Every structure is written in structure tokens, then in C-alpha cells.
Amino acid sequence: MYLKNGKVEFKGKESRDPFSFRYYDKNRVINGRTMGEQLRFAMSWWHTVNASGTDMFGGDTMDKTFGLSGMEKYRAKADFAFELMQKLGIDYYCFHDVDVAPEGATLAESVKNLEEMTDYLLEKQKQTGIRPLWVTANMFGDKKFMAGAATSPEADVFAVAAGKVKAGIDAAVKLGAKAYVFWGGREGYDTLLNTDMALELDNLGRFMKMARDYGRSHGFDGDFYIEPKPKEPTKHQYDFDAATCANFIRVNGLEKDFRLNIEANHATLAGHTFQHELRVAAVNGLFGSIDANQGDPLLGWDTDQFPTNVYDTTLCMYEVIKAGGFTNGGLNFDAKARRQSDTLDDTVLSYIAGMDAFALGLIKAYQIIEDGRIEDFIKQRYASYESGIGRRIVEGKETLETLAAYAADLKDPAPVSGRQEYLEAVLNDILFSGNV
Ligand code: XLS
Ligand code: CA
Ligand code: CA
């Protein structure tokens, strides 16, 4: 197995060594900061360390048990995870509570297992300098959460979920994570015939406020993220998309503490582009972190594939740069190797593909900005708001009456071409010519 023998090195774009980076050069400085600092790659524990190829029609194609069971198995998985991250030069990881430690029969037992395993993780962190990008709790897998966690009709389920989040925040503080994620697994509904939507939404708000209050009074100074997703597993998830989450955050007064974790595959499930969701987060002041993956437009469910589409990674990094870059967030590969890519070598190759696609995206995103044709076009397109009547509109100095008087004798204002095809050609030009 490759992993046993080598470390993945940057060898440049001429390299034909499949186990090398062709674009990701961790220490290369672009615009004043290294690629590593700007991309902040993270490994997703659930896919990389646990997912074993199961789908609706068949069982495992990969064995990730290391021939062990119980806590021993979880320690072996942690050893594997840290070895993989070191070989790839990845500095962060993301996990759900039950990814790293087995669930017990009661909340107390589960928390004990988690504490034991986070002791182990902390040791490995000290040896390697790797730490979590974010932590979360799985509140969707177990049967008790079949009707939701914070939005469950059962108050006892709400209480267990609260206990899991408390333990998750404690783990985040202990391991030095600067973010805690809420993906509303089953926080939604399948039919309104059995659902009190108003109570469920209020309870979800109450739950988030409890998490914030607990975190802020127990040493958690990072970000809370909500991760939008429109459907799957429920038919309608409350955190449908970035705009819906922005409204939820404001309605509940959480905007000081909460931001968004945007996942590419979830954006497309919502009928949006990845870039759209990132832009909505940014214009609302809620850009936080990214789950880096891609869906398959022909399949239409949450396939969580490794991101290899360079158009998407470029436009993503363009949005990240325009939003000021990551602070506590980063690029978490919420992605799994395909069922037929069933060897550990495939896992390594998948990460290389995703990391290189984002490195190239970062390089190309800066080239879009330096090239200037797209940016200048947009500036020019809105130039009428920089002086005269446009400027007065923007400054709030006009009213419907003053504008009606101004417009009364105007001839039909001439619309200006949006030049979409030209701009798409410019993007191609930047992507397929020039240096890397
Ligand atoms: C599922 C989500 C999940 C979150 C973390 O679709 O992507 O993996 O990222 O709970
Ligand atoms: Ca995700
Ligand atoms: Ca997903």
C-alpha cells in the first residue's frame, strides 16, 4: 500500500507520479500567504476513516475495521487518520462524536467513550500539530432521532440531543477546534399532516441559543456554523439554503456567533450553484467554512464526490478571496472515494485529486482578479451608481417622488448588454492559458 511507503510531495505539473501533487505546493506564497494557509484543508473522519462503500443495493466494498473491534478499533482508526493526514500534509480534521468513539447504551456511556477517545486524539495532536477544524454531533443516525433532534416532537429526544451537543462543545474546547457545526440531519419534515412547524422552528432556535450560551461560558471562542441542505434525509429540511439560514440566524439573534458552512453538493441539491451559496453567505456577512465536494448532476442526490471540477473550485476560491479568506473555517473534504475505488490507495489518490483541484482553483482565482477583465466589466456595468442620480439613490437621498420627477421626461433608458458569452470566454481564457 502506498501509504506505508511514502509522503505525497509537490512535484509540479509535469509530474506523472500519481502519488504527487502537481499544483498543491503547501509552502508556495501567493499574494502574501502560503497555499496551505489559504486553503486550510481538512479530512472528514466519517467518509475517510469510516465509510466503507455501502449503498442501498449492496454492502461494504472496503474494510476499515483494521481487523479489530471495540475501543481498539477506534484507536486503530485514529492511528490511520493521523498517518494519512501527515502523509498528505493536511493540518485539520472534522468529525462527529460517533465517528471517533462508539455510542453507548446511554448518553452518559457515550460521553465517557468520547472523553476516552478525545484523550487519545489529544495525544496524537500533540505529536503532529494537527487539530480539528470543526466538531459536530451526529443527531440523525440513531433511531431516537428519526423525527429530528432539536425539532423532535419528543422533549426527551431534545434533551439527549442537548447532552450530545454539550459533549461536542466540550470536545471542541479540549481539542482546540475553532468551529462547531450544526448540520440539521433530520431537522425537517416529511409531511405537514403530522408536523407543528412553528413549534419545531422555535425549538430549533432555542437549541442554538442554548449551545451558544453554553459554549461562550465554557471556553469556546470559535464560530458556530449552520450547514444548509435542502432535502435528504427529510423531504424538506429547515436549513434549506444559505438565504433560509441567514433569515433563521437573524430571527433568533444569533448573527454575532453563527456563520455558515457551505457544502457544494448541498448547493446543487437546492437548485443553486456552489458559487451562489457562497455569495449569499458573504453578502450577508455569514461566510464561514466550506465542505468541499461535488455532486453528480445526473444522479441528483448527495453523492459527496471528491471535487475535481476546476471551474467550480476556481469560482469557489474567487468567492473565498473576495470574502477576505478563511478565518476559523477551511476546506473540509466532505467527500468519499467511489464504491469501486475500493483500496486505501484510492483514498490517497482522491485527496490528491481534490487538493490539486483546489490549488489550481486558488491560482486561477487570483488570475481572474489580476487579469481584471471580469472585475472591470462588473464595475463598469454599475457605473451609473457612482455619480449623479445613481449615487444619490445609493446614499439614500432620493424618494419615490423625487425619482418620479427626475424620470418624468427621460426617454426609455437604453439597456446595456450583459455580455455573458464574452465573459464565459474570458474565464476559459484564464483557465486554459497562462501560467500556473
Ligand atoms: C450530510 C452532511 C454532513 C455534515 C456534518 O449531508 O454533509 O456530513 O457535513 O454533519
Ligand atoms: Ca457536509
Ligand atoms: Ca453532503
Side-chain angles (χ1 to χ4, degrees), residues 44 46-47 94-96 99 134-140 181-185 227-229 231-233 237 261 263 265-266 269 291 293 302 304 332 334-335:
S44 71
W46 53 102
H47 287 310
C94 299
F95 68 96
H96 303 80
D99 297 336
W134 52 256
V135 176
T136 189
N138 179 323
M139 304 193 292
F140 43 87
V181 162
F182 290 97
W183 168 59
E227 180 180 325
K229 184 174 183 180
K231 56 189 168 188
E232 197 203 15
Q237 309 243 152
N261 179 41
E263 178 177 317
N265 203 158
H266 297 179
L269 287 176
D291 271 8
N293 62 14
D302 196 13
D304 286 342
N332 167 44
D334 189 355

Side-chain angles (χ1 to χ4, degrees), residues 178-220:
K178 291 290 172 200
Y180 187 90
V181 162
F182 290 97
W183 168 59
R186 294 184 196 270
E187 313 291 27
Y189 63 86
D190 292 323
T191 172
L192 286 174
L193 293 174
N194 65 15
T195 302
D196 182 342
M197 186 196 277
L199 177 64
E200 291 197 2
L201 283 171
D202 285 347
N203 279 350
L204 191 58
R206 287 183 187 104
F207 193 87
M208 300 298 187
K209 287 179 217 165
M210 287 178 197
R212 177 203 52 199
D213 294 345
Y214 178 78
R216 293 303 182 231
S217 57
H218 287 80
F220 179 67

Side-chain angles (χ1 to χ4, degrees), residues 366-378 430:
Y366 276 116
Q367 286 180 8
I368 294 175
I369 295 168
E370 277 154 29
D371 175 273
R373 278 176 287 175
I374 291 174
E375 304 253 301
D376 290 348
F377 183 87
I378 295 171
I430 295 167

Side-chain angles (χ1 to χ4, degrees), residues 355-370:
M355 292 163 79
D356 260 351
F358 267 96
L360 191 50
L362 179 72
I363 294 166
K364 292 293 171 183
Y366 276 116
Q367 286 180 8
I368 294 175
I369 295 168
E370 277 154 29

Side-chain angles (χ1 to χ4, degrees), residues 13 22-25 28 30 35 39 41 308-311 313-315 317 353-367 430-432 434-436:
K13 74 180 164 80
R22 299 171 70 234
Y23 303 101
Y24 183 56
D25 184 1
R28 172 173 165 191
I30 306 184
M35 280 188 147
L39 293 165
F41 289 131
T308 52
N309 183 320
V310 177
Y311 275 97
T313 60
T314 299
L315 293 173
M317 290 317 297
M355 292 163 79
D356 260 351
F358 267 96
L360 191 50
L362 179 72
I363 294 166
K364 292 293 171 183
Y366 276 116
Q367 286 180 8
I430 295 167
L431 281 178
F432 297 105
N435 299 325
V436 294

Side-chain angles (χ1 to χ4, degrees), residues 12 57 161 250 290 394:
F57 301 95
R250 288 215 187 89
I290 289 177
V394 170

